[in-house]
């Protein structure tokens, strides 16, 4: 658990540039509680959380992260009150409106995974425009999970594999880990599809239907910090924690 209270602005210098996680995934949680603590409506937390996304995108890209996957809206988040859902659906419009020039300047490519067709028309347009506007960027991939659920992801992959088997283009005996990875919504990331580091903010220590297949060997790091308070210092502390881990993938300890 990390708190952003220490004076450790020199942390970047402590990070090993040769051991930066290539794919970082974040469950951005705690916007509502951040607002409640201030006697503000929950949407004030989402608004502030959007600013954190801008900060962390820039920090991650500067550090050399290759893929940053952000859980922005789950398939279960439709259960929330209508006003909150509509505010959340408007956020990508605001976010890309403000931030596309910076993303292009930083050579960041936007991608989105989830059931985009179910989003309101304006949100779909914002998302599709952002993907198009940044398609020539060759730096970090900023991958939003929007109306995403991992069980949905796996179900759709199984359906797609099933169709190939039924049509005779895929031999069931040939289905392996790679076949499944390729059919998931992270398949476009190729060798980078699985996160090296998964972060969740706000003190909750659960996965909430995020990347269930892909995190088989991810390092999980949690912080009590609420997403709107998350910043460079906390992020760097979590990266340092990642660098202290010994990833064995079922093998034996390597000498460090
Ligand atoms: C995360 O913050 C943002 C979304 C899930 C969209 P929450 O809105 O879940 O904030 P808490 O968990 O209620 O504090
Ligand atoms: C997970 O957060 C989804 C996102 C961050 C988009 P939730 O706040 O929806 O998860 P639970 O309900 O606490 O598990
Ligand atoms: Mg939450």
């Amino acid at each position: 658990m990390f708190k952003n209270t220490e004076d450790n602005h020199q942390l970047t210098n402590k990070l090993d540039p040769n051991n930066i996680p290539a794919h970082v995934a974040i469950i951005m949680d705690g916007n509502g509680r951040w607002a409640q603590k201030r006697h503000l409506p929950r949407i004030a937390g989402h608004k502030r959380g959007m600013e954190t996304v801008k900060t962390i995108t820039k920090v991650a890209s500067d550090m050399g992260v290759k893929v940053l996957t952000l859980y922005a809206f789950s398939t279960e988040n439709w259960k929330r009150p209508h006003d909150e859902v509509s505010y959340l659906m408007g956020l990508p419009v605001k976010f890309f409106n403000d931030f596309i020039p910076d993303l292009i300047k930083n050579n960041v490519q936007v991608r989105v995974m989830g059931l985009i067709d179910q989003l309101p028309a304006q949100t779909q347009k914002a998302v599709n425009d952002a993907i198009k506007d940044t398609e020539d960027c060759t730096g970090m991939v900023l991958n939003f999970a929007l109306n995403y659920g991992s069980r949905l992801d796996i179900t759709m992959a199984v359906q797609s594999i099933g169709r190939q088997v039924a049509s005779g283009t895929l031999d069931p005996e040939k289905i392996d880990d790679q076949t499944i990875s390729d059919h998931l919504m992270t398949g476009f990331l190729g060798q980078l599809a699985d996160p090296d580091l998964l972060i969740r903010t706000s003190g909750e220590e659960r996965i909430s239907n995020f990347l269930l297949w892909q995190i088989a060997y991810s390092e999980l790091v949690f912080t009590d910090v609420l997403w709107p308070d998350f910043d460079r210092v906390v992020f760097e502390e979590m990266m340092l924690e990642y660098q202290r881990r010994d990833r064995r993938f079922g093998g034996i300890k390597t000498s460090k």
Side-chain angles (χ1 to χ4, degrees):
M1 286 284 177
F2 298 102
K3 301 202 164 34
N4 60 349
T5 47
E6 290 168 53
D7 176 20
N8 45 10
H9 52 275
Q10 294 300 326
L11 272 173
T12 313
N13 300 335
K14 293 193 200 157
L15 281 173
D16 174 359
N18 298 315
N19 188 20
I20 299 294
H23 183 172
V24 177
I26 308 184
I27 303 175
M28 309 183 287
D29 198 16
N31 292 350
R33 277 163 284 169
W34 182 92
Q36 271 155 7
K37 267 180 29 188
R38 287 162 180 77
H39 308 285
L40 295 169
R42 291 177 55 86
I43 59 170
H46 297 312
K47 184 163 190 243
R48 183 58 86 89
M50 184 181 84
E51 297 306 318
T52 308
V53 173
K54 294 180 188 166
T55 308
I56 297 307
T57 297
K58 178 82 173 60
V59 171
S61 160
D62 289 349
M63 275 181 187
V65 169
K66 294 195 165 20
V67 180
L68 179 66
T69 297
L70 299 178
Y71 203 8
F73 192 88
S74 76
T75 46
E76 288 73 46
N77 287 146
W78 297 104
K79 294 175 188 163
R80 296 186 179 202
H82 178 263
D83 285 358
E84 182 173 346
V85 169
S86 25
Y87 187 81
L88 287 167
M89 288 300 143
L91 273 184
V93 181
K94 275 200 199 35
F95 176 82
F96 291 124
N97 218 6
D98 294 358
F99 202 45
I100 282 291
D102 278 2
L103 290 172
I104 294 172
K105 200 172 78 200
N106 287 294
N107 199 22
V108 172
Q109 186 187 134
V110 174
R111 299 293 297 248
V112 179
M113 56 178 197
L115 280 190
I116 304 308
D117 296 358
Q118 289 180 354
L119 302 175
Q122 276 193 63
T123 316
Q124 287 192 41
K125 181 172 174 357
V127 155
N128 290 328
D129 288 352
I131 294 169
K132 188 105 195 45
D133 291 347
T134 59
E135 69 186 355
D136 295 330
C137 294
T138 55
M140 188 179 80
V141 173
L142 175 60
N143 181 33
F144 284 100
L146 192 58
N147 196 16
Y148 175 86
S150 186
R151 287 184 169 185
L152 168 78
D153 192 0
I154 292 168
T155 303
M156 289 176 64
V158 170
Q159 288 173 345
S160 163
I161 291 169
R163 279 191 297 270
Q164 291 185 9
V165 169
S167 70
T169 55
L170 180 62
D171 174 357
E173 305 305 322
K174 295 257 163 62
I175 297 171
D176 58 11
D177 277 22
Q178 195 58 48
T179 317
I180 295 169
S181 290
D182 290 346
H183 281 81
L184 292 169
M185 292 177 189
T186 43
F188 76 94
L189 294 165
Q191 292 307 302
L192 296 177
D194 296 347
D196 299 289
L197 169 62
L198 174 73
I199 288 173
R200 183 168 187 151
T201 60
S202 90
E204 309 298 351
E205 298 188 355
R206 57 174 170 262
I207 301 302
S208 301
N209 201 14
F210 193 41
L211 304 176
L212 299 174
W213 169 275
Q214 296 90 332
I215 61 170
Y217 273 104
S218 303
E219 293 300 327
L220 313 183
V221 184
F222 299 98
T223 175
D224 282 338
V225 173
L226 303 174
W227 179 250
D229 291 328
F230 193 80
D231 61 9
R232 171 188 288 272
V233 172
V234 190
F235 190 43
E236 287 177 355
E237 282 178 358
M238 298 181 98
M239 295 290 245
L240 273 176
E241 169 61 19
Y242 169 85
Q243 294 193 341
R244 284 192 288 267
R245 303 273 176 97
D246 181 36
R247 302 186 75 191
R248 292 190 290 280
F249 301 97
I252 54 170
K253 198 174 188 323
T254 52
S255 55
K256 276 198 165 177

